[in-house]
Amino acid sequence: MTTRAGFVTVAGRPNAGKSTLLNRLVGQHLAITSPKPQSTRDRVVGIISDDDSQIILFDTPGLLEPRYELQRSMHGAARKALEEADVIVHLIDASEGLQPEHLATAVNGDGARDFRAPIILAFNKVDALTPERLAALRVEFPEAAMISAKTGEGVKFLLKTVRKMLPESPFLYDAEDVSTQQMRFFVAEMIRECALEQLDDEVPYSVACEIEEFRETGTPVYIRAVLHVERVSQKQILIGAGGARIKAIGKDARRKIEPLVGGPVYLDLWVKVLSNWRRNPNSLRRLGYDLPDEWKS
Ligand SMILES: Nc1nc2c(ncn2[C@@H]2O[C@H](COP(=O)(O)OP(=O)(O)OP(=O)(O)O)[C@@H](O)[C@H]2O)c(=O)[nH]1
Ligand SMILES: [Mg+2]
């Protein structure tokens, strides 16, 4: 039997619904989703296998003009995933009503080189459109997929289109694998997601999660994690009056981590200040964010 397998990168502006789409396709809550933009900071990998095809799906950080080191790292991660792709899904928030800009320009700026992979245009959030607006969009972009990552509408069709475009290849991973990334990564992301949900303004953007210890041998599984913030004032906000906020975040996070780990978890959660980590290459590296080559000194 001929099988197909390859790398599929979902890219687009912040908040387009890329992570929601990955979760929908994998059928599991793997990637952070949030109404707050720039929630994804690194490539997130999901694997979707059926009898004769395997998609290694890359969810990427939203594309924007980077202004500081963390955003450069995010931008670099998106660009790398686009360069490695066999198929690219350019996801657009249909309710924004924007003309889709050229993806290569969004990534590389003016005079940008193109990507080798074919690009599928997909408008997301069609559940939030009026029927008239959707009909107009279909006329304007007859080739584009119209989907809702939230309700699942159109997603199967998109998946079918993508599968047909994959190169002939044996499976690259076990058919049972859901991701190539380690449990530690997803645990840190779930904790960060809970922090994102419970914080406002600039604070969520200053939060990074580091897993210091992950001991799976006993029951419950022991996880010691640190939420890093950039300033003392943010640490106070994150801890909350009498520790109320950090307790609430820990409780929520444990609820999200236990299904991932497959059993009870003891989450030992700390808050520390790592001054201006978003602008410091060494801090970024320590937190697992890679800077693109041209920014490395
Ligand atoms: N109504 C509607 N909302 C959606 C849909 N897909 C995603 N959303 C919402 O849009 C917001 C952003 O979704 P994400 O999946 O986090 O978007 P993203 O593209 O990964 O965003 P970044 O990682 O920040 O670039 C969340 O509040 C989602 O619930 C959809 O199909 N319909
Ligand atoms: Mg995302």
Side-chain angles (χ1 to χ4, degrees):
M1 186 175 64
T2 328
T3 56
R4 294 179 181 275
F7 302 97
V8 177
T9 297
V10 183
R13 289 169 50 76
N15 253 359
K18 302 175 291 296
S19 304
T20 309
L21 180 60
L22 177 130
N23 292 345
R24 162 73 54 187
L25 291 172
V26 176
Q28 210 175 313
H29 189 81
L30 275 188
I32 291 194
T33 64
S34 167
K36 299 181 178 102
Q38 300 182 54
S39 47
T40 304
R41 290 180 181 159
D42 211 337
R43 172 199 314 207
V44 181
V45 186
I47 302 178
I48 304 133
S49 306
D50 67 358
D51 290 343
D52 51 14
S53 73
Q54 183 172 64
I55 293 170
I56 296 99
L57 194 76
F58 297 149
D59 169 25
T60 58
L63 294 167
L64 41 73
E65 187 64 41
R67 284 182 297 124
Y68 49 86
E69 268 67 14
L70 173 63
Q71 289 186 336
R72 285 187 188 110
S73 163
M74 290 159 62
H75 197 261
R79 191 170 61 193
K80 197 151 170 260
L82 284 162
E83 280 165 2
E84 288 173 11
D86 293 304
V87 179
I88 293 168
V89 177
H90 183 183
L91 198 66
I92 296 160
D93 182 340
S95 59
E96 272 190 5
L98 289 175
Q99 294 287 324
E101 75 261 54
H102 202 275
L103 195 62
T105 314
V107 177
N108 293 323
D110 290 342
R113 68 193 183 292
D114 223 326
F115 302 104
R116 71 180 169 89
I119 299 176
I120 301 175
L121 209 56
F123 284 93
N124 187 32
K125 311 195 188 184
V126 296
D127 59 285
L129 293 186
T130 61
E132 294 75 32
R133 181 79 187 98
L134 180 57
L137 213 55
R138 280 193 206 280
V139 171
E140 200 176 347
F141 301 101
E143 302 287 312
M146 301 292 162
I147 68 164
S148 166
K150 189 174 170 183
T151 67
E153 187 186 337
V155 168
K156 267 203 185 125
F157 184 73
L158 173 66
L159 202 57
K160 215 167 127 188
T161 311
V162 169
R163 280 199 179 113
K164 279 194 220 143
M165 294 165 77
L166 294 175
E168 280 186 15
S169 158
F171 279 19
L172 305 172
Y173 295 92
D174 280 353
E176 291 76 35
D177 286 358
V178 179
S179 182
T180 59
Q181 280 156 310
Q182 292 186 347
M183 185 66 77
R184 266 172 181 260
F185 171 77
F186 291 110
V187 167
E189 288 289 271
M190 287 305 118
I191 298 171
R192 194 162 66 81
E193 185 174 65
C194 295
L196 271 175
E197 282 164 5
Q198 301 208 23
L199 298 166
D200 292 312
D201 304 324
E202 259 302 289
V203 190
Y205 296 101
S206 293
V207 171
C209 182
E210 184 180 30
I211 306 296
E212 286 194 334
E213 198 174 336
F214 188 101
R215 221 168 39 226
E216 281 184 282
T217 42
T219 310
V221 169
Y222 175 81
I223 299 170
R224 190 174 65 246
V226 179
L227 283 171
H228 293 284
V229 286
E230 295 190 291
R231 293 192 292 277
V232 175
S233 58
Q234 294 169 337
K235 179 174 171 176
Q236 285 160 350
I237 292 170
L238 192 50
I239 291 173
R245 185 168 277 130
I246 191 67
K247 259 190 218 138
I249 291 172
K251 202 169 147 201
D252 268 10
R254 197 160 52 79
R255 232 180 271 139
K256 289 190 191 194
I257 295 165
E258 284 180 339
L260 274 180
V261 174
V265 163
Y266 182 88
L267 180 60
D268 197 3
L269 196 53
W270 296 80
V271 181
K272 290 184 186 171
V273 177
L274 189 58
S275 203
N276 285 322
W277 67 263
R278 283 189 294 173
R279 293 168 194 277
N280 183 317
N282 287 333
S283 303
L284 286 174
R285 208 168 299 128
R286 165 178 164 184
L287 295 167
Y289 300 115
D290 202 20
L291 272 174
D293 289 339
E294 61 267 34
W295 294 99
K296 282 177 186 157
S297 48

